[in-house]
């Protein structure tokens, strides 16, 4: 889709003749502010808060500021190509909707609203293991649109195997295995607000409908929801996993497997050695290890190890188009968008998520063009300079 950004920009200017009283925000900070006005403390801080003193949340954003784009001129950027290929599929834009659990606490449209917005935009949706709506229902409303499934690797191997089977049967085309959450982190605001949505039955839709999970219960979740949720607390995560367990996943799915939460280059090396299909550099948006390295800081070294043998994606801190361009310049094939979509969902449900994605894509497309690049494949590190570095003069 060429000139996507310019088309959106012009359609926004056209509304000047006929101003819309229900106009949604454009500015990222205004989305967040509006979401704060709408949501109660519990759900708001569940989305906006991070682990501990939120140093890593901060580091994620600062890491983007450390790199500056050095635009080039007179390079014919009229017709642009934002498509990219992954696992044999062509996607319109280098963006995916990050896996986000418990979207039902944010807006009644919840997971289905976000998934529908992704269908409208041609953006792949990553269904979370912790969705409130079961993965099959999300798949059903998405038709043929691209979707991946995110696995929280349960302590019960039969539940894990069952989730993989169900995802495969429902047309999900890749599995994202989140490694950084074998247990909930120390999240000060959630503890202060005494807020853990799972305990009130949100975000457990995949478990309560899972035959393997339900086979462990004395009574069905309908008959005894409390016992079902208590069982969930016991099997949700698995802190005893090691690298050799990757073989279990490979035995139970033929889909490409991406590991989410890789930050250390040695873990990237292990991921290659254990034959996974992709890596997502992420610190879960600063929600797990407070004081952890910013995700963008970790990206270059991971990419250096991987050497394009498998795709490297990233998330944690993507807010604007220039963030996407910087992440790609540092080696990411694509990025995952998390909190911005959730603020969109809080403010205006499906329409809000669509608007956030559309604006982010337009901003990315225009930034790429103004920086002197016509296609996302042409974005390389030579586009950037770090705060101390020298400009690369070999850029063609
Ligand atoms: C409210 C919320 C719920 C999340 N739930 C999940 C989840 O279920 N599975 C997962 O892998 N990551 C989850 N994440 C992490 C996101 O996938 C992503 O890594 C993170 O949002 C990126 O940080 P950013 O949103 O600050 O850019 C969640 C994040 C938020 C904000």
């Amino acid at each position: 889709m060429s000139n996507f950004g310019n088309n959106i920009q012009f359609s926004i200017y056209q509304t000047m003749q006929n101003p819309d009283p229900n106009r949604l925000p454009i500015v990222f900070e205004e989305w967040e502010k509006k979401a704060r006005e709408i949501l109660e403390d519990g759900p708001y801080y569940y989305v906006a808060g991070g682990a501990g003193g939120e140093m890593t949340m901060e580091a994620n954003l600062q890491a983007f500021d450390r790199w500056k784009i050095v635009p080039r001129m007179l390079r014919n950027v009229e017709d642009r190509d934002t498509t990219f290929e992954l696992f044999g599929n062509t996607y319109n834009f280098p963006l995916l909707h990050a896996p986000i659990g418990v979207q039902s606490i944010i807006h009644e449209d919840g997971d289905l609203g976000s998934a529908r917005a992704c269908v409208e935009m041609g953006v792949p949706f990553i269904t979370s293991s912790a969705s409130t709506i079961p993965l099959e229902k999300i798949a059903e409303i998405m038709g043929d649109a691209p979707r991946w499934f995110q696995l929280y690797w349960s302590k019960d191997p039969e539940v894990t195997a069952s989730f993989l089977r169900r995802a495969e049967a429902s047309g999900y085309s890749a599995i994202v295995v989140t490694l950084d959450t074998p247990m909930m982190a120390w999240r000060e605001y959630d503890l202060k607000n005494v807020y853990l949505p799972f305990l009130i039955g949100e975000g457990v839709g995949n478990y309560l409908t899972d035959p393997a999970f339900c086979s462990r219960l004395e009574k069905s979740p309908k008959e005894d929801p409390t016992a079902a949720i208590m069982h969930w607390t016991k099997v949700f995560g698995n802190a005893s996993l090691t690298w050799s367990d990757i073989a279990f996943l490979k035995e139970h799915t033929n889909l490409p497997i991406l590991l989410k939460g890789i930050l250390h280059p040695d873990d990237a090396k292990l991921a290659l050695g254990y034959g996974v299909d992709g890596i997502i550099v992420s610190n879960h948006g600063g929600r797990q290890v407070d004081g952890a390295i910013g995700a963008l800081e970790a990206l270059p070294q991971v990419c250096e190890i991987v050497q394009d043998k498998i795709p490297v994606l990233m998330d944690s801190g993507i807010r604007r188009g220039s963030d996407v361009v910087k992440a790609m310049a540092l080696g990411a094939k694509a990025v995952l968008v998390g909190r911005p979509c959730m603020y969109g969902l809080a403010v205006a449900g499906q329409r809000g998520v669509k608007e956030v994605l559309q604006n982010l894509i337009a901003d990315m497309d225009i930034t790429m063009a103004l920086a002197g690049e016509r296609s996302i494949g042409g974005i390389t590190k030579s586009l950037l300079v770090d705060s101390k570095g020298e400009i690369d003069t070999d850029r063609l």
Side-chain angles (χ1 to χ4, degrees):
M1 213 181 288
S2 66
N3 296 345
F4 181 86
N6 295 129
N7 295 340
I8 298 295
Q9 206 169 32
F10 291 137
S11 78
I12 290 172
Y13 286 130
Q14 271 166 2
T15 64
M16 282 168 74
Q17 273 100 42
N18 204 355
D20 175 1
N22 299 317
R23 208 178 153 208
L24 293 171
I26 298 280
V27 181
F28 167 76
E29 288 76 10
E30 288 179 14
W31 283 104
E32 180 170 2
K33 191 162 163 270
K34 262 195 184 271
R36 171 63 287 212
E37 285 161 16
I38 291 166
L39 296 173
E40 305 272 340
D41 280 2
Y44 173 73
Y45 283 104
Y46 187 78
V47 175
E54 302 188 338
M55 299 302 289
T56 296
M57 263 175 60
E58 197 60 43
N60 283 339
L61 303 183
Q62 280 172 2
F64 283 94
D65 288 345
R66 232 165 274 141
W67 292 98
K68 312 287 178 204
I69 297 169
V70 191
R72 294 289 307 274
M73 302 297 131
L74 294 174
R75 285 162 65 91
N76 183 6
V77 291
E78 194 171 8
D79 287 319
R80 301 183 293 276
D81 180 9
T82 56
T83 61
F84 82 109
E85 292 219 2
L86 205 55
F87 308 130
N89 298 311
T90 303
Y91 297 111
N92 290 342
F93 315 106
L95 272 87
L96 298 93
H97 189 299
I100 306 260
V102 291
Q103 294 187 31
S104 50
I105 65 172
I106 299 165
H107 190 278
E108 60 185 5
D109 287 0
D111 311 287
L112 295 180
S114 299
R116 285 195 174 104
C118 286
V119 175
E120 287 185 272
M121 287 307 303
V123 166
F125 180 72
I126 310 180
T127 294
S128 165
S129 279
S131 59
T132 297
I133 303 292
L135 62 97
E136 290 85 357
K137 286 221 167 108
I138 296 173
E140 205 178 295
I141 60 107
M142 291 192 74
D144 292 335
R147 51 185 176 272
W148 295 2
F149 178 69
Q150 176 266 324
L151 178 75
Y152 275 136
W153 195 332
S154 169
K155 185 168 258 161
D156 185 336
E158 286 192 24
V159 172
T160 299
S162 173
F163 274 24
L164 293 173
R165 256 194 316 274
R166 290 169 61 190
E168 212 160 323
S170 312
Y172 289 87
S173 61
I175 301 291
V176 171
V177 185
T178 300
L179 299 179
D180 56 23
T181 313
M183 63 193 83
M184 293 290 162
W186 187 258
R187 296 183 191 158
E188 294 181 2
Y189 283 105
D190 296 345
L191 293 166
K192 175 185 158 193
N193 295 325
V194 198
Y195 190 76
L196 189 59
F198 307 100
L199 301 184
I200 48 171
E202 309 278 357
V204 289
N206 289 317
Y207 298 85
L208 303 194
T209 55
D210 189 78
F213 180 89
C214 291
S215 74
R216 311 290 198 221
L217 306 173
E218 274 175 27
K219 290 183 186 162
S220 74
K222 234 187 189 151
E223 287 167 313
D224 193 349
T226 311
I229 289 165
M230 283 303 116
H231 183 64
W232 175 86
T233 63
K234 293 188 196 121
V235 301
F236 160 74
N238 187 351
S240 71
L241 293 167
T242 65
W243 283 95
S244 59
D245 292 312
I246 296 286
F248 177 88
L249 299 179
K250 289 167 72 95
E251 265 165 41
H252 286 87
T253 184
N254 293 318
L255 296 176
I257 295 172
L258 297 97
L259 301 184
K260 176 170 182 273
I262 300 290
L263 294 165
H264 199 295
D266 287 349
D267 280 344
K269 207 179 282 174
L270 284 161
L272 280 179
Y274 280 90
V276 301
D277 304 284
I279 286 175
I280 304 177
V281 172
S282 166
N283 55 33
H284 214 108
R287 297 162 67 77
Q288 286 301 100
V289 179
D290 189 31
I293 184 171
L296 193 79
E297 289 175 275
L299 181 66
Q301 267 187 286
V302 168
C303 291
E304 207 177 304
I305 292 290
V306 170
Q307 291 288 327
D308 278 335
K309 287 181 194 134
I310 54 174
V312 176
L313 283 65
M314 78 83 63
D315 74 24
S316 299
I318 298 291
R319 300 290 178 266
R320 292 194 155 87
S322 61
D323 300 332
V324 184
V325 170
K326 288 178 186 178
M328 300 198 66
L330 293 175
K333 267 249 171 220
V335 301
L336 278 53
V337 188
R339 287 188 178 95
C341 289
M342 290 306 100
Y343 298 137
L345 185 67
V347 173
Q350 175 181 340
R351 181 173 161 236
V353 178
K354 183 185 171 200
E355 193 94 350
V356 163
L357 286 171
Q358 182 175 280
N359 291 351
L360 190 55
I361 291 166
D363 182 7
M364 177 214 69
D365 174 44
I366 289 171
T367 303
M368 174 178 88
L370 294 175
E373 287 303 337
R374 206 168 19 183
S375 78
I376 59 162
I379 298 175
T380 65
K381 198 169 172 192
S382 62
L383 190 70
L384 302 183
V385 62
D386 71 16
S387 39
K388 299 181 290 292
E390 280 185 25
I391 294 174
D392 183 344
T393 51
D394 290 334
R395 186 174 159 212
L396 297 173

